[in-house]
Amino acid sequence: MNLDDSNTALKNVYEKNENYKIVINDRKNKNCIIFFSGNGLYYPDSIEVFNEIIVNKNRYEWEQVSKSEEMTNHFGMMIFVRDIYKTFYVKGINHDVSSIDALLELLEEKTAGYQIVTCGNSAGGYMAVIAGKHLSADRIF
């Protein structure tokens, strides 16, 4: 599977989906964690697996971890971000947020007034460090 604009399924999801989601656990709680997906978001890189994992299941990494009572009690807001092109976020996450700088601007807007923790693995770890430093996160995992 080509992970570029020649892949119409991938391009369609990039152009039509936000590829981030926000879960609010408690509006009064001003702790926020941002989870970044890694390059294992879907594997192997086939159109069948992409359609099953991203299109049908709408998968974001870290969702299972985020459901623990400790997490939901500690973080009032959780943001899940995925890089469907698997480019270490260089292409951003969607048509409107098409670069790392644009993603950082979006995250600044969404997290204004929050104490921030960033978390990621693989390419997501790379992005967690960039975003964590940019957003002055309390912790970066």
Side-chain angles (χ1 to χ4, degrees):
M1 177 168 112
N2 293 337
L3 297 177
D4 59 29
D5 288 338
S6 69
N7 183 314
T8 56
L10 191 61
K11 188 175 180 182
N12 187 44
V13 171
Y14 180 82
E15 290 181 355
K16 295 183 178 172
N17 293 36
E18 290 183 324
N19 294 309
Y20 74 91
K21 74 176 183 177
I22 298 175
V23 174
I24 304 293
N25 296 316
D26 179 355
R27 292 195 183 280
K28 295 177 188 170
N29 178 333
K30 293 300 181 182
N31 292 319
C32 174
I33 187 164
I34 307 169
F35 295 104
F36 295 93
S37 71
N39 282 352
L41 178 61
Y42 57 92
Y43 181 82
D45 296 336
S46 69
I47 193 65
E48 296 81 17
V49 172
F50 177 80
N51 283 332
E52 176 64 20
I53 301 298
I54 301 300
V55 176
N56 297 338
K57 292 184 178 175
N58 196 29
R59 178 174 189 249
Y60 287 84
E61 287 184 325
W62 301 99
E63 285 184 298
Q64 292 297 23
V65 170
S66 75
K67 292 177 183 177
S68 74
E69 187 175 341
E70 292 85 2
M71 295 294 282
T72 58
N73 286 340
H74 187 75
F75 293 104
M77 179 167 65
M78 297 178 174
I79 302 175
F80 299 86
V81 184
R82 66 183 178 197
D83 172 15
I84 62 165
Y85 272 104
K86 299 184 180 187
T87 63
F88 283 71
Y89 294 86
V90 171
K91 281 184 66 85
I93 58 171
N94 64 44
H95 180 69
D96 296 323
V97 182
S98 59
S99 67
I100 289 174
D101 289 338
L103 177 55
L104 294 174
E105 287 178 28
L106 173 74
L107 294 173
E108 274 182 42
E109 174 189 316
K110 300 295 182 185
T111 61
Y114 281 85
Q115 296 295 113
I116 300 167
V117 171
T118 60
C119 179
N121 64 306
S122 180
Y126 165 80
M127 194 61 221
V129 171
I130 291 172
K133 293 299 287 178
H134 182 80
L135 299 169
S136 300
D138 293 335
R139 298 275 189 276
I140 300 169
F141 295 100

